[in-house]
Amino acid sequence: MTASTANDQRFREFKMPDVGEGLTEAEILKWYVQPGDTVSDGQVVCEVETAKAAVELPIPYDGVVHELNFGEGVTVDVGTVIISVDTDPGAGPASPAAAAPAEAEPAAPAAEEDAEPQGRQAVLVGYGAAPSSTKRRPRKAANGVPPQQEPVRAGLQAELNGHPAPVAPVAAAPAAPAPAVTVPSAGRPLAKPPVRKLAKDLGIDLASITPTGPDGVITRDDVHAAAAPAAAPAQSVAAPSVPADRPAAPAAAEGFDPVTRERRVPVKGVRKATAQAMVTSAFTAPHVTEFITVDVTRTMKLVQELKQDPDMAGLRVNPLLLVAKAFLVAIKRHPEVNAAWDEANQEIVHKDYVNLGIAAATPRGLIVPNIKDAGVRTLPQLAAELGELVATAREGKTSPAAMSGGTVTITNVGVFGVDTGTPILNPGESAILAFGAVKLQPWVHKGKVKARQVTTLALSFDHRLIDGELGSKLLADIAAVLERPKRLITWG
């Protein structure tokens, strides 16, 4: 067995996986391990944010973390190696083949890199590539740093990932001054991801900064010191344009330009996915929105009664629960609305199940997880599912699978005091119901004007699937159930 083959089997590389939803990239939010840490098969090593949710990634190997290829805050393409593990740390230092300099790399045939790997690929969370499909890449030295200085390189890697750098033997320390040290195989100044972000926000070129940190690492103080001389001219230019009665925004605000008084935020993660989905939906499915105002006084009374019901003990009971149930009952009366448009095959796909989406505002942006087979759930079951869905979304732990396969959606704009809106369809779904704020209003009830609890509903639907008559009947039935909730029994 050659030294190269032995190292291929000893050092296992874990690639950024596709969690099964066709995602192409993910941002590394947090590393839970550092080089030198012992890991076991199934242990979570990092948290990443995909276009849909935050996901924790387990490592499929036992061993010791050898290298972290990217720092926190970096967006990585699916299929890119993010961490390598030494599965046989007791075997001693890596052989020379594993630490070969970059000049030896061209000796390998070019076709080897382009060859299709055989066997299982790292496409699901928790799965790794088969041994035959994993190749250990020759490790590049930083600016010709010899292999005996590897402890310094490991220390820099640990520092870059937010961990204290291990103390390297004196004999292994490079003789070159600290400012000459650069990030291994990257050619960039050394700095932790938060420091890089600070420099970017302040418009400071890291290459122009003299580092004062250990091993030539640029610190936050270094960035602030470099920004101080430039801050005064920038503020002096901006000062005349700022009205005296309006305070200027702080120059150190994230992405803030003190000259233009504008702040730019990169579009990524959930916000990027939401924007793409809404544009796709708005310019693909012809939307129609209808409105209806309804007296929900009886429904609000039922909510209070259900809160005292022993069968609903420990469950979250609120008006949204009964709106969801009313929506499901109306769909049961008009099942043809629960469909999808297949553009490729020019077919309408009718579905015998209802996956009810609930739009949820989270710190990462708008997400729409759905309750699978919501149409067959009892009221207590629906309440339990709804409560779990909301709690998981608030914690930022909603899985991509929970946000796929929806058929219809509810958006509760009433929690913000809004009467209603014109909601945009979630791509691939046929309808979305907006539930507005419930307010005490004058209403004609039994021939007399009385104060009643009233709300406005808005239903947007795909006009390719649902014509005006069907959409109107669906919305009218939802309102009818909320006006007289006993119809949950007679119609359900």
Side-chain angles (χ1 to χ4, degrees):
M1 179 183 295
T2 65
S4 176
T5 303
N7 281 306
D8 284 347
Q9 294 183 353
R10 174 180 171 182
F11 294 95
R12 307 299 298 275
E13 297 177 332
F14 180 64
K15 300 177 181 179
M16 179 68 74
D18 178 359
V19 295
E21 298 299 321
L23 302 174
T24 59
E25 63 182 19
E27 177 185 351
I28 298 175
L29 295 180
K30 184 177 182 180
W31 281 108
Y32 296 116
V33 296
Q34 63 175 322
D37 287 351
T38 300
V39 294
S40 57
D41 187 356
Q43 177 181 336
V44 173
V45 294
C46 69
E47 181 181 28
V48 301
E49 184 183 46
T50 69
K52 294 186 175 182
V55 179
E56 293 182 333
L57 299 183
I59 194 78
Y61 314 121
D62 294 325
V64 173
V65 176
H66 181 65
E67 185 178 18
L68 304 180
N69 292 34
F70 299 94
E72 296 174 354
V74 178
T75 299
V76 181
D77 291 338
V78 168
T80 303
V81 176
I82 60 174
I83 181 175
S84 60
V85 176
D86 183 352
T87 60
D88 190 13
S95 66
E103 288 74 16
E105 206 169 32
E112 183 177 339
E113 291 188 15
D114 299 330
E116 289 293 330
Q118 300 298 318
R120 185 161 57 97
Q121 297 299 304
V123 297
L124 294 173
V125 173
Y127 283 80
S132 60
S133 66
T134 303
K135 298 189 295 295
R136 175 64 184 171
R137 299 178 301 169
R139 301 185 62 194
K140 300 180 181 179
N143 295 335
V145 176
Q148 60 267 28
Q149 295 183 5
E150 184 63 23
V152 175
R153 185 179 190 277
L156 296 178
Q157 183 64 56
E159 187 73 12
L160 285 172
N161 285 276
H163 301 294
V167 178
V170 176
V181 181
T182 58
V183 175
S185 73
R188 298 187 301 168
L190 286 172
K192 298 179 184 178
V195 177
R196 291 187 182 279
K197 187 174 187 304
L198 174 63
K200 181 179 179 181
D201 293 342
L202 296 179
I204 303 300
D205 184 2
L206 288 174
S208 66
I209 299 177
T210 301
T212 62
D215 298 313
V217 175
I218 297 173
T219 67
R220 295 181 66 89
D221 291 339
D222 295 338
V223 175
H224 284 302
Q235 291 174 356
S236 64
V237 173
S241 63
V242 179
D245 59 346
R246 185 176 62 190
E254 182 180 347
F256 180 75
D257 185 335
V259 177
T260 63
R261 304 196 310 279
E262 296 175 347
R263 184 168 61 93
R264 292 177 176 269
V265 179
V267 179
K268 57 183 181 179
V270 174
R271 173 58 59 190
K272 181 177 181 180
T274 300
Q276 292 173 341
M278 293 300 96
V279 170
T280 300
S281 177
F283 292 97
T284 301
H287 285 56
V288 173
T289 305
E290 295 186 338
F291 308 87
I292 190 169
T293 302
V294 58
D295 177 4
V296 293
T297 304
R298 292 186 177 93
T299 290
M300 299 304 289
K301 289 181 179 178
L302 179 57
V303 169
Q304 297 304 317
E305 292 173 3
L306 288 173
K307 288 182 177 180
Q308 307 302 321
D309 193 311
D311 290 336
M312 303 296 287
L315 299 176
R316 184 181 178 88
V317 179
N318 54 25
L320 179 61
L321 172 63
L322 294 186
V323 171
K325 192 64 176 177
F327 197 6
L328 294 170
V329 168
I331 292 174
K332 184 177 180 180
R333 287 168 58 84
H334 307 284
E336 57 270 33
V337 306
N338 192 45
W341 184 272
D342 186 342
E343 181 66 26
N345 296 312
Q346 286 295 292
E347 295 174 340
I348 295 176
V349 183
H350 292 278
K351 302 179 179 181
D352 289 337
Y353 58 91
V354 180
N355 291 344
L356 178 63
I358 303 294
T362 73
R364 290 191 174 95
L366 176 68
I367 62 174
V368 189
N370 59 75
I371 301 173
K372 309 298 183 185
D373 286 316
V376 298
R377 306 293 185 191
T378 64
L379 194 62
Q381 291 172 340
L382 190 62
E385 294 271 3
L386 189 57
E388 182 179 354
L389 178 149
V390 172
T392 303
R394 286 177 177 172
E395 294 172 0
K397 300 299 183 182
T398 304
S399 68
M403 291 184 284
S404 63
T407 59
V408 296
T409 290
I410 296 176
T411 176
N412 185 10
V413 297
V415 295
F416 306 109
V418 175
D419 290 335
T420 192
T422 55
I424 298 177
L425 293 168
N426 209 27
E429 298 184 6
S430 60
I432 179 171
L433 178 70
F435 174 35
V438 178
K439 299 181 179 179
L440 202 61
Q441 296 182 15
W443 194 265
V444 178
H445 177 68
K446 296 181 178 179
K448 297 181 180 180
V449 177
K450 297 182 178 180
R452 304 286 287 181
Q453 291 176 296
V454 177
T455 190
T456 300
L457 306 173
L459 180 72
S460 293
F461 51 87
D462 187 340
H463 215 345
R464 296 173 301 179
L465 300 167
I466 304 172
D467 58 26
E469 178 185 8
L470 180 57
S472 298
K473 287 181 177 179
L474 178 68
L475 183 58
D477 279 358
I478 297 170
V481 172
L482 295 176
E483 184 178 17
R484 294 183 179 274
K486 68 178 182 182
R487 291 190 172 110
L488 289 172
I489 301 174
T490 57
W491 288 0

